[in-house]
Structure formats: C-alpha cells, structure tokens
Amino acid sequence: MSPEDQDQVRARQKSRALVTGLLLGFLAIRRENRDRHLSDMRLAQHAREVALLRGLTQGMQTVRDRAGGHRVIAEQLADVFADCSGLLFLYDPQRDRFVPVADWGPLIVAADRAEMLPADCLAARRAQAVTGRRDRVHDACGHVDDQAYCYRCLPILIDGQITAILHLRLAGTAEPDATFAALGSLPESAAALLGLALSALDLRE
C-alpha cells in the first residue's frame, strides 16, 4: 500500500470516528433531554400530589360536618385538577346508588349532577379504573353523555369496599389513554388520598 493510500485510509478512519462520536453525542443529548423531561414531569406530578395531601389535611382539620368536608374536597380537586372537569360520587348508606357530592369545571352540566346507579359505571362494576370516551358505545359508562370528551372513572376504596367514584373529564377527541397520559398516576394518587379523607370524615360522625 502506497503512502497516499495509507493517508486515505487514515482519513476515512478519522472521518468515521468523528461521525460516530457526533452520533453518540447526539444520542446522549437526546437521552439526557428525555430523562430531564420525564424527571420534570415526575416532579410536577409529585408537587400536585403534595399540594392535594396538604390541602386535604389542613382543610379536614377545620370542617365541622360532612358537608363542609365535601366542600373542602371540591376546592382541592379543582386546584389540583385545574385542567380537568370532574365529579365525586359517594355511595349512599343503602349502597344502591351513587350521589354526587362535589364537582368542578366547565364540562360538568346540571344533568351530570344526578344520582348514578352502580350498574351505570364500569369502574364500579369492575372495581378498577376505566378510561374511555362516550362514543365507544359498547365500552362506555352509562352515566356520561354524548359530548366529545375523554373521561376516567376511578373507584375509591375504604376497607376494601368501593365507597366513592372519582370521575375526571378532559376535552379532546384523541385516544383517551393518550389524552390522560399527561396526568401520569396523579388520578390514582388522588383517589387514594380521597379515600383517607373520606375515612377521616366518617370518624368525625
């Protein structure tokens, strides 16, 4: 191999090494940005969870009755889920229907504040969170109307029994799971905290 050929080989090797280094650096930057974004999302979600816990804890210390507790819950849910609309349903003492006790947001209308039968809510029937859209006729909760929004219903358990349903709504026609993805596990955390708050109200009476 002539000296000129050797110089060309070395030049190609250096070029490949440079391109490889640039590519690895680009991938590292993308990974760092993605991890930072995910970290920021987790921090934001954690901050909202802490805000809800603090608000419920402080609010429950001042209420004198169940109605006051429901007002505190409505205020805290409206703050933490400011980008959502929603309702909180409680099982009535006879456990044959759910009664709305708190609501917030522009997607909630008067008709939504009616009592709900357990059979009308998939989350109550399945004892697990359900995400859907009303136009999915065969897999939609019967208590939501025909508007184009996505919703999530979450059962709230106390001592292993469903005691309430947290119903959240977001405007949009995208896939429901994608629509709620920005909230992460905040709805589930909120449902768990609400179970504790409702238990505290029961102990007051």
Side-chain angles (χ1 to χ4, degrees):
M1 182 180 293
S2 67
E4 292 80 6
D5 292 336
Q6 292 177 351
D7 289 340
Q8 289 181 358
V9 170
R10 283 194 291 268
R12 291 194 204 98
Q13 290 174 340
K14 289 181 180 179
S15 178
R16 282 197 295 267
L18 178 60
V19 171
T20 302
L22 290 173
L23 180 59
L24 291 175
F26 173 71
L27 292 175
I29 291 172
R30 285 193 61 186
R31 188 182 305 112
E32 181 181 354
N33 289 339
R34 182 197 63 194
D35 293 344
R36 183 181 299 116
H37 177 65
L38 291 175
S39 178
D40 290 343
M41 287 180 60
R42 284 192 289 266
L43 286 174
Q45 179 182 317
H46 179 67
R48 295 170 83 174
E49 292 172 352
V50 171
L52 178 58
L53 176 59
R54 181 172 59 248
L56 289 174
T57 301
Q58 294 175 349
M60 290 302 169
Q61 292 175 352
T62 62
V63 299
R64 297 183 178 181
D65 55 22
R66 189 179 293 270
H70 295 163
R71 284 193 295 272
V72 168
I73 289 174
E75 293 168 358
Q76 295 304 315
L77 289 176
D79 286 342
V80 174
F81 292 106
D83 43 359
C84 295
S85 298
L87 298 114
L88 178 66
F89 292 92
L90 286 185
Y91 244 146
D92 75 343
Q94 287 72 39
R95 298 186 65 82
D96 59 357
R97 69 195 66 193
F98 286 98
V99 179
V101 296
D103 66 83
W104 74 95
L107 294 181
I108 303 302
V109 297
D112 296 316
R113 301 184 181 98
E115 296 180 349
M116 174 180 72
L117 296 176
D120 287 335
C121 183
L122 291 179
R125 286 158 49 190
R126 298 176 180 176
Q128 63 183 26
V130 171
T131 305
R133 196 168 61 229
R134 185 62 183 94
D135 56 9
R136 294 181 173 182
V137 179
H138 300 295
D139 194 31
C141 289
H143 61 94
V144 296
D145 60 26
D146 295 324
Q147 296 183 35
Y149 55 73
C150 299
Y151 67 87
R152 178 172 291 176
C153 287
L154 302 102
I156 297 174
L157 282 71
I158 298 178
D159 295 332
Q161 289 191 326
I162 296 178
T163 303
I165 297 291
L166 175 61
H167 174 81
L168 301 174
R169 294 181 182 179
L170 281 172
T173 57
E175 281 299 306
D177 288 330
T179 302
F180 276 96
L183 293 178
S185 60
L186 180 61
E188 286 74 14
S189 298
L193 292 175
L194 288 172
L196 297 175
L198 293 171
S199 294
L201 283 179
D202 289 340
L203 293 175
R204 284 176 173 267
E205 297 187 351

